[in-house]
Amino acid sequence: MHIGVDLDNTLLDATTAHLQYYNKASGLTLTHEDVNDFYLYKMYGWDKTESDVIYHKHGYDIHWNSSPYPQAIQTLASLFKHHTISIITARPTQFRDVTVKWLEHHSVPYNNIVFIEDKLKECMKLQVEVMIDDGPHYAEEFAQRGMPVILYEQPYNRFVKHEFVYRAVNWSEVKTHIDYLQKNSHAKSKPS
């Protein structure tokens, strides 16, 4: 199978690093318990322009200091032995170097990496068969096209429900879903 893998809040915990630098920039003390939106900047009362200035200033440090989720890299290494892995991230290309260095530093195996907002279009072009992501809008977009998506559970994506959305709270569950999809590549129903 060709598997697409998102980075932030899917393979790694980006929220902790974002909170650290966004709290410093804003003077607020928001915590994980406050996170209820995919777009963290909204919690700080910033508009997109204000957010972009702060993100571009601290982005390198945010991305370098994000930690992989437990078992994420080991699971990906196991999947890499039998599948094609494409990292598909919406990070701006200005953070390409730090992203590639982070992946090398943590020994993350992958076949290629793409920096793009329109993940669905890219996945169709690359013939990705399943996407692993945390973005609720991405999950809905993929599911509506009949493409399976493993939705890495976050507080802001719990409302997403669809027959092609497979929820995972950890990377062991990601692996279980991949194994199921591999065996039942044309199946419409989820495992019980």
PDB file of all heavy atoms in Angstrom, residues 148-168:
ATOM      1  N   PRO A 148     -10.016   6.012   2.369  1.00  0.00           N
ATOM      2  CA  PRO A 148      -9.860   5.813   3.809  1.00  0.00           C
ATOM      3  C   PRO A 148      -8.841   6.766   4.421  1.00  0.00           C
ATOM      4  O   PRO A 148      -7.817   7.073   3.814  1.00  0.00           O
ATOM      5  CB  PRO A 148      -9.398   4.365   3.953  1.00  0.00           C
ATOM      6  CG  PRO A 148      -9.016   3.908   2.609  1.00  0.00           C
ATOM      7  CD  PRO A 148      -9.563   4.861   1.593  1.00  0.00           C
ATOM      8  N   VAL A 149      -9.174   7.234   5.610  1.00  0.00           N
ATOM      9  CA  VAL A 149      -8.270   8.095   6.361  1.00  0.00           C
ATOM     10  C   VAL A 149      -8.246   7.598   7.798  1.00  0.00           C
ATOM     11  O   VAL A 149      -9.288   7.283   8.374  1.00  0.00           O
ATOM     12  CB  VAL A 149      -8.674   9.583   6.271  1.00  0.00           C
ATOM     13  CG1 VAL A 149     -10.056   9.835   6.799  1.00  0.00           C
ATOM     14  CG2 VAL A 149      -7.675  10.477   6.985  1.00  0.00           C
ATOM     15  N   ILE A 150      -7.049   7.464   8.324  1.00  0.00           N
ATOM     16  CA  ILE A 150      -6.894   7.128   9.739  1.00  0.00           C
ATOM     17  C   ILE A 150      -6.737   8.454  10.454  1.00  0.00           C
ATOM     18  O   ILE A 150      -5.750   9.167  10.242  1.00  0.00           O
ATOM     19  CB  ILE A 150      -5.692   6.193   9.973  1.00  0.00           C
ATOM     20  CG1 ILE A 150      -5.912   4.874   9.209  1.00  0.00           C
ATOM     21  CG2 ILE A 150      -5.490   5.954  11.467  1.00  0.00           C
ATOM     22  CD1 ILE A 150      -4.709   3.958   9.183  1.00  0.00           C
ATOM     23  N   LEU A 151      -7.722   8.787  11.256  1.00  0.00           N
ATOM     24  CA  LEU A 151      -7.760  10.084  11.933  1.00  0.00           C
ATOM     25  C   LEU A 151      -7.133   9.941  13.310  1.00  0.00           C
ATOM     26  O   LEU A 151      -7.680   9.282  14.197  1.00  0.00           O
ATOM     27  CB  LEU A 151      -9.200  10.579  12.038  1.00  0.00           C
ATOM     28  CG  LEU A 151      -9.404  12.000  12.541  1.00  0.00           C
ATOM     29  CD1 LEU A 151      -8.702  13.019  11.638  1.00  0.00           C
ATOM     30  CD2 LEU A 151     -10.887  12.323  12.630  1.00  0.00           C
ATOM     31  N   TYR A 152      -5.937  10.548  13.472  1.00  0.00           N
ATOM     32  CA  TYR A 152      -5.251  10.501  14.755  1.00  0.00           C
ATOM     33  C   TYR A 152      -6.001  11.424  15.706  1.00  0.00           C
ATOM     34  O   TYR A 152      -6.092  12.625  15.484  1.00  0.00           O
ATOM     35  CB  TYR A 152      -3.785  10.918  14.613  1.00  0.00           C
ATOM     36  CG  TYR A 152      -2.948  10.399  15.750  1.00  0.00           C
ATOM     37  CD1 TYR A 152      -2.372   9.134  15.684  1.00  0.00           C
ATOM     38  CD2 TYR A 152      -2.764  11.149  16.899  1.00  0.00           C
ATOM     39  CE1 TYR A 152      -1.621   8.640  16.735  1.00  0.00           C
ATOM     40  CE2 TYR A 152      -2.011  10.659  17.954  1.00  0.00           C
ATOM     41  CZ  TYR A 152      -1.447   9.407  17.868  1.00  0.00           C
ATOM     42  OH  TYR A 152      -0.712   8.919  18.916  1.00  0.00           O
ATOM     43  N   GLU A 153      -6.564  10.841  16.724  1.00  0.00           N
ATOM     44  CA  GLU A 153      -7.514  11.569  17.575  1.00  0.00           C
ATOM     45  C   GLU A 153      -6.882  12.738  18.318  1.00  0.00           C
ATOM     46  O   GLU A 153      -5.842  12.612  18.961  1.00  0.00           O
ATOM     47  CB  GLU A 153      -8.168  10.616  18.574  1.00  0.00           C
ATOM     48  CG  GLU A 153      -9.287  11.302  19.311  1.00  0.00           C
ATOM     49  CD  GLU A 153     -10.354  10.357  19.786  1.00  0.00           C
ATOM     50  OE1 GLU A 153     -10.819   9.526  19.000  1.00  0.00           O
ATOM     51  OE2 GLU A 153     -10.710  10.464  20.966  1.00  0.00           O
ATOM     52  N   GLN A 154      -7.578  13.866  18.202  1.00  0.00           N
ATOM     53  CA  GLN A 154      -7.235  15.103  18.895  1.00  0.00           C
ATOM     54  C   GLN A 154      -8.553  15.730  19.357  1.00  0.00           C
ATOM     55  O   GLN A 154      -9.613  15.419  18.801  1.00  0.00           O
ATOM     56  CB  GLN A 154      -6.488  16.063  17.965  1.00  0.00           C
ATOM     57  CG  GLN A 154      -5.163  15.549  17.449  1.00  0.00           C
ATOM     58  CD  GLN A 154      -4.093  15.420  18.539  1.00  0.00           C
ATOM     59  OE1 GLN A 154      -4.237  15.938  19.645  1.00  0.00           O
ATOM     60  NE2 GLN A 154      -3.020  14.712  18.231  1.00  0.00           N
ATOM     61  N   PRO A 155      -8.517  16.615  20.356  1.00  0.00           N
ATOM     62  CA  PRO A 155      -9.764  17.213  20.861  1.00  0.00           C
ATOM     63  C   PRO A 155     -10.589  17.905  19.776  1.00  0.00           C
ATOM     64  O   PRO A 155     -11.810  17.918  19.835  1.00  0.00           O
ATOM     65  CB  PRO A 155      -9.285  18.225  21.904  1.00  0.00           C
ATOM     66  CG  PRO A 155      -7.928  17.776  22.305  1.00  0.00           C
ATOM     67  CD  PRO A 155      -7.345  17.073  21.107  1.00  0.00           C
ATOM     68  N   TYR A 156      -9.926  18.461  18.784  1.00  0.00           N
ATOM     69  CA  TYR A 156     -10.611  19.239  17.758  1.00  0.00           C
ATOM     70  C   TYR A 156     -11.150  18.404  16.592  1.00  0.00           C
ATOM     71  O   TYR A 156     -11.742  18.942  15.671  1.00  0.00           O
ATOM     72  CB  TYR A 156      -9.688  20.333  17.209  1.00  0.00           C
ATOM     73  CG  TYR A 156      -8.301  19.837  16.873  1.00  0.00           C
ATOM     74  CD1 TYR A 156      -8.043  19.113  15.714  1.00  0.00           C
ATOM     75  CD2 TYR A 156      -7.243  20.085  17.735  1.00  0.00           C
ATOM     76  CE1 TYR A 156      -6.785  18.640  15.423  1.00  0.00           C
ATOM     77  CE2 TYR A 156      -5.971  19.626  17.452  1.00  0.00           C
ATOM     78  CZ  TYR A 156      -5.751  18.904  16.294  1.00  0.00           C
ATOM     79  OH  TYR A 156      -4.497  18.437  16.006  1.00  0.00           O
ATOM     80  N   ASN A 157     -10.951  17.076  16.602  1.00  0.00           N
ATOM     81  CA  ASN A 157     -11.462  16.286  15.483  1.00  0.00           C
ATOM     82  C   ASN A 157     -12.472  15.210  15.900  1.00  0.00           C
ATOM     83  O   ASN A 157     -12.860  14.376  15.088  1.00  0.00           O
ATOM     84  CB  ASN A 157     -10.324  15.671  14.658  1.00  0.00           C
ATOM     85  CG  ASN A 157      -9.550  14.597  15.399  1.00  0.00           C
ATOM     86  OD1 ASN A 157     -10.041  13.951  16.315  1.00  0.00           O
ATOM     87  ND2 ASN A 157      -8.315  14.389  14.976  1.00  0.00           N
ATOM     88  N   ARG A 158     -12.910  15.266  17.139  1.00  0.00           N
ATOM     89  CA  ARG A 158     -13.791  14.205  17.647  1.00  0.00           C
ATOM     90  C   ARG A 158     -15.172  14.180  16.999  1.00  0.00           C
ATOM     91  O   ARG A 158     -15.870  13.181  17.053  1.00  0.00           O
ATOM     92  CB  ARG A 158     -13.911  14.310  19.167  1.00  0.00           C
ATOM     93  CG  ARG A 158     -12.594  13.980  19.832  1.00  0.00           C
ATOM     94  CD  ARG A 158     -12.682  13.867  21.328  1.00  0.00           C
ATOM     95  NE  ARG A 158     -11.376  13.521  21.851  1.00  0.00           N
ATOM     96  CZ  ARG A 158     -10.812  14.111  22.874  1.00  0.00           C
ATOM     97  NH1 ARG A 158     -11.436  15.074  23.514  1.00  0.00           N
ATOM     98  NH2 ARG A 158      -9.614  13.740  23.271  1.00  0.00           N
ATOM     99  N   PHE A 159     -15.584  15.277  16.373  1.00  0.00           N
ATOM    100  CA  PHE A 159     -16.904  15.341  15.752  1.00  0.00           C
ATOM    101  C   PHE A 159     -16.949  14.637  14.391  1.00  0.00           C
ATOM    102  O   PHE A 159     -18.026  14.373  13.869  1.00  0.00           O
ATOM    103  CB  PHE A 159     -17.332  16.804  15.568  1.00  0.00           C
ATOM    104  CG  PHE A 159     -16.475  17.566  14.597  1.00  0.00           C
ATOM    105  CD1 PHE A 159     -16.797  17.600  13.256  1.00  0.00           C
ATOM    106  CD2 PHE A 159     -15.339  18.236  15.032  1.00  0.00           C
ATOM    107  CE1 PHE A 159     -15.998  18.288  12.345  1.00  0.00           C
ATOM    108  CE2 PHE A 159     -14.536  18.931  14.135  1.00  0.00           C
ATOM    109  CZ  PHE A 159     -14.869  18.952  12.792  1.00  0.00           C
ATOM    110  N   VAL A 160     -15.800  14.310  13.816  1.00  0.00           N
ATOM    111  CA  VAL A 160     -15.772  13.722  12.475  1.00  0.00           C
ATOM    112  C   VAL A 160     -16.197  12.261  12.535  1.00  0.00           C
ATOM    113  O   VAL A 160     -15.617  11.458  13.253  1.00  0.00           O
ATOM    114  CB  VAL A 160     -14.363  13.834  11.846  1.00  0.00           C
ATOM    115  CG1 VAL A 160     -14.329  13.173  10.470  1.00  0.00           C
ATOM    116  CG2 VAL A 160     -13.922  15.280  11.770  1.00  0.00           C
ATOM    117  N   LYS A 161     -17.234  11.943  11.774  1.00  0.00           N
ATOM    118  CA  LYS A 161     -17.745  10.565  11.718  1.00  0.00           C
ATOM    119  C   LYS A 161     -18.047  10.246  10.257  1.00  0.00           C
ATOM    120  O   LYS A 161     -18.722  11.011   9.570  1.00  0.00           O
ATOM    121  CB  LYS A 161     -19.022  10.436  12.535  1.00  0.00           C
ATOM    122  CG  LYS A 161     -18.893  10.935  13.965  1.00  0.00           C
ATOM    123  CD  LYS A 161     -19.200   9.852  14.952  1.00  0.00           C
ATOM    124  CE  LYS A 161     -19.227  10.347  16.372  1.00  0.00           C
ATOM    125  NZ  LYS A 161     -17.976  10.664  16.962  1.00  0.00           N
ATOM    126  N   HIS A 162     -17.543   9.129   9.786  1.00  0.00           N
ATOM    127  CA  HIS A 162     -17.787   8.702   8.408  1.00  0.00           C
ATOM    128  C   HIS A 162     -17.319   7.255   8.293  1.00  0.00           C
ATOM    129  O   HIS A 162     -16.398   6.841   8.995  1.00  0.00           O
ATOM    130  CB  HIS A 162     -17.024   9.602   7.436  1.00  0.00           C
ATOM    131  CG  HIS A 162     -17.457   9.437   6.012  1.00  0.00           C
ATOM    132  ND1 HIS A 162     -17.065   8.376   5.232  1.00  0.00           N
ATOM    133  CD2 HIS A 162     -18.252  10.212   5.235  1.00  0.00           C
ATOM    134  CE1 HIS A 162     -17.593   8.493   4.028  1.00  0.00           C
ATOM    135  NE2 HIS A 162     -18.326   9.605   4.006  1.00  0.00           N
ATOM    136  N   GLU A 163     -17.927   6.507   7.385  1.00  0.00           N
ATOM    137  CA  GLU A 163     -17.544   5.106   7.243  1.00  0.00           C
ATOM    138  C   GLU A 163     -16.097   4.917   6.785  1.00  0.00           C
ATOM    139  O   GLU A 163     -15.512   3.860   7.000  1.00  0.00           O
ATOM    140  CB  GLU A 163     -18.500   4.370   6.297  1.00  0.00           C
ATOM    141  CG  GLU A 163     -18.403   4.822   4.859  1.00  0.00           C
ATOM    142  CD  GLU A 163     -19.309   4.028   3.931  1.00  0.00           C
ATOM    143  OE1 GLU A 163     -19.301   2.791   4.016  1.00  0.00           O
ATOM    144  OE2 GLU A 163     -20.011   4.667   3.140  1.00  0.00           O
ATOM    145  N   PHE A 164     -15.503   5.923   6.147  1.00  0.00           N
ATOM    146  CA  PHE A 164     -14.124   5.816   5.692  1.00  0.00           C
ATOM    147  C   PHE A 164     -13.130   6.449   6.667  1.00  0.00           C
ATOM    148  O   PHE A 164     -11.947   6.563   6.362  1.00  0.00           O
ATOM    149  CB  PHE A 164     -13.964   6.442   4.304  1.00  0.00           C
ATOM    150  CG  PHE A 164     -14.603   5.619   3.224  1.00  0.00           C
ATOM    151  CD1 PHE A 164     -15.786   6.033   2.633  1.00  0.00           C
ATOM    152  CD2 PHE A 164     -14.041   4.422   2.816  1.00  0.00           C
ATOM    153  CE1 PHE A 164     -16.383   5.274   1.652  1.00  0.00           C
ATOM    154  CE2 PHE A 164     -14.633   3.649   1.826  1.00  0.00           C
ATOM    155  CZ  PHE A 164     -15.813   4.076   1.240  1.00  0.00           C
ATOM    156  N   VAL A 165     -13.604   6.888   7.827  1.00  0.00           N
ATOM    157  CA  VAL A 165     -12.733   7.459   8.855  1.00  0.00           C
ATOM    158  C   VAL A 165     -12.489   6.403   9.934  1.00  0.00           C
ATOM    159  O   VAL A 165     -13.425   5.913  10.559  1.00  0.00           O
ATOM    160  CB  VAL A 165     -13.346   8.732   9.481  1.00  0.00           C
ATOM    161  CG1 VAL A 165     -12.506   9.204  10.663  1.00  0.00           C
ATOM    162  CG2 VAL A 165     -13.466   9.834   8.437  1.00  0.00           C
ATOM    163  N   TYR A 166     -11.235   6.061  10.112  1.00  0.00           N
ATOM    164  CA  TYR A 166     -10.808   5.074  11.107  1.00  0.00           C
ATOM    165  C   TYR A 166     -10.052   5.836  12.189  1.00  0.00           C
ATOM    166  O   TYR A 166      -8.991   6.399  11.931  1.00  0.00           O
ATOM    167  CB  TYR A 166      -9.891   4.025  10.462  1.00  0.00           C
ATOM    168  CG  TYR A 166     -10.572   3.233   9.371  1.00  0.00           C
ATOM    169  CD1 TYR A 166     -10.752   3.772   8.101  1.00  0.00           C
ATOM    170  CD2 TYR A 166     -11.037   1.952   9.623  1.00  0.00           C
ATOM    171  CE1 TYR A 166     -11.376   3.050   7.093  1.00  0.00           C
ATOM    172  CE2 TYR A 166     -11.663   1.219   8.624  1.00  0.00           C
ATOM    173  CZ  TYR A 166     -11.828   1.777   7.362  1.00  0.00           C
ATOM    174  OH  TYR A 166     -12.460   1.058   6.372  1.00  0.00           O
ATOM    175  N   ARG A 167     -10.593   5.864  13.388  1.00  0.00           N
ATOM    176  CA  ARG A 167      -9.978   6.635  14.477  1.00  0.00           C
ATOM    177  C   ARG A 167      -8.864   5.845  15.150  1.00  0.00           C
ATOM    178  O   ARG A 167      -8.960   4.638  15.329  1.00  0.00           O
ATOM    179  CB  ARG A 167     -11.035   6.980  15.524  1.00  0.00           C
ATOM    180  CG  ARG A 167     -12.091   7.882  14.964  1.00  0.00           C
ATOM    181  CD  ARG A 167     -13.010   8.424  16.054  1.00  0.00           C
ATOM    182  NE  ARG A 167     -13.478   9.723  15.633  1.00  0.00           N
ATOM    183  CZ  ARG A 167     -12.780  10.844  15.725  1.00  0.00           C
ATOM    184  NH1 ARG A 167     -11.609  10.850  16.279  1.00  0.00           N
ATOM    185  NH2 ARG A 167     -13.261  11.975  15.275  1.00  0.00           N
ATOM    186  N   ALA A 168      -7.822   6.583  15.545  1.00  0.00           N
ATOM    187  CA  ALA A 168      -6.695   5.969  16.259  1.00  0.00           C
ATOM    188  C   ALA A 168      -6.275   6.901  17.389  1.00  0.00           C
ATOM    189  O   ALA A 168      -6.091   8.094  17.163  1.00  0.00           O
ATOM    190  CB  ALA A 168      -5.534   5.720  15.312  1.00  0.00           C
TER     191      ALA A 168
END
